[in-house]
Amino acid sequence: MILVSACLLGQNVKYNGGNNSCELLQVYEGQGHFVPICPEGFAALPIPRPPMEIQQGTGEDLLAGRVRALDRTGRDMTESLRLGAQKALALAQKYHAKTAILKESSPSCGVHRIYDGNFAGRKIPGSGAAAALLREHGLMLYSEKELTPALLAKLMAEDKDSMKNE
Ligand code: SF4
């Protein structure tokens, strides 16, 4: 199975109550390959909620205890990001997922870039906390920004093969 950020599938789970609907993913949603995940929802965060950013570091840094995450009101969200990441990993293991397609730039799901912690719209290289934990456990990660019809077809074919072999 392929883990997919729930907001990319049109679920209204993002901090502002909206979604990041990805048309390509939605075309194939009914074919049984996708497991929607929302690490921030897994951590029981409300919708809507203030935006949060990892403070001058990455998801890897947060998991290692080197940096924390704050929301825009100054509330410490470090443990929520950690909990959401752990629950996302548990679901990946339950479904034997080897791949995840995640929302770029999120402090949980960001694959290649995240916001820098200043709430000023600036990004730095690095992953969100859930993405970092999934990668650490061997999943291949892709963001919606690098997804093409050919790449998605390849990932779904690989998923079909791996299901046959289980
Ligand atoms: Fe989307 Fe991930 Fe944020 Fe949930 S935690 S709203 S799935 S980007």
Side-chain angles (χ1 to χ4, degrees), residues 10-51:
Q11 295 186 23
N12 292 327
V13 291
K14 48 183 291 201
Y15 73 91
N16 62 4
N19 63 65
N20 298 302
S21 177
C22 169
E23 203 176 317
L24 179 58
L25 286 168
Q26 290 197 319
V27 168
Y28 294 99
E29 190 179 358
Q31 298 199 4
H33 292 286
F34 301 161
V35 177
I37 63 163
C38 178
E40 291 169 22
F42 294 161
L45 294 178
I47 303 167
R49 54 188 176 275

Side-chain angles (χ1 to χ4, degrees), residues 4-8 11-15 18-20 37-41 49 81 102-110 130:
V4 181
S5 292
C7 57
L8 293 176
Q11 295 186 23
N12 292 327
V13 291
K14 48 183 291 201
Y15 73 91
N19 63 65
N20 298 302
I37 63 163
C38 178
E40 291 169 22
R49 54 188 176 275
L81 286 191
L102 301 176
K103 175 70 186 80
E104 193 60 284
S105 306
S106 152
S108 294
C109 293

Side-chain angles (χ1 to χ4, degrees), residues 33-94:
H33 292 286
F34 301 161
V35 177
I37 63 163
C38 178
E40 291 169 22
F42 294 161
L45 294 178
I47 303 167
R49 54 188 176 275
M52 67 177 99
E53 295 188 5
I54 298 173
Q55 299 297 299
Q56 288 80 41
T58 64
E60 289 86 349
D61 293 326
L62 183 141
L63 295 173
R66 291 188 289 268
V67 299
R68 58 191 185 139
L70 299 178
D71 73 14
R72 200 196 283 277
T73 71
R75 185 169 161 219
D76 193 323
M77 304 305 291
T78 308
E79 286 312 310
S80 294
L81 286 191
R82 199 187 296 276
L83 177 62
Q86 287 164 349
K87 292 196 171 184
L89 176 61
L91 209 57
Q93 292 172 334
K94 176 179 172 185

Side-chain angles (χ1 to χ4, degrees), residues 3 6 41 50 56 122 144 163:
L3 301 189
Q56 288 80 41
R122 289 192 299 269
E144 83 286 3
M163 284 196 276

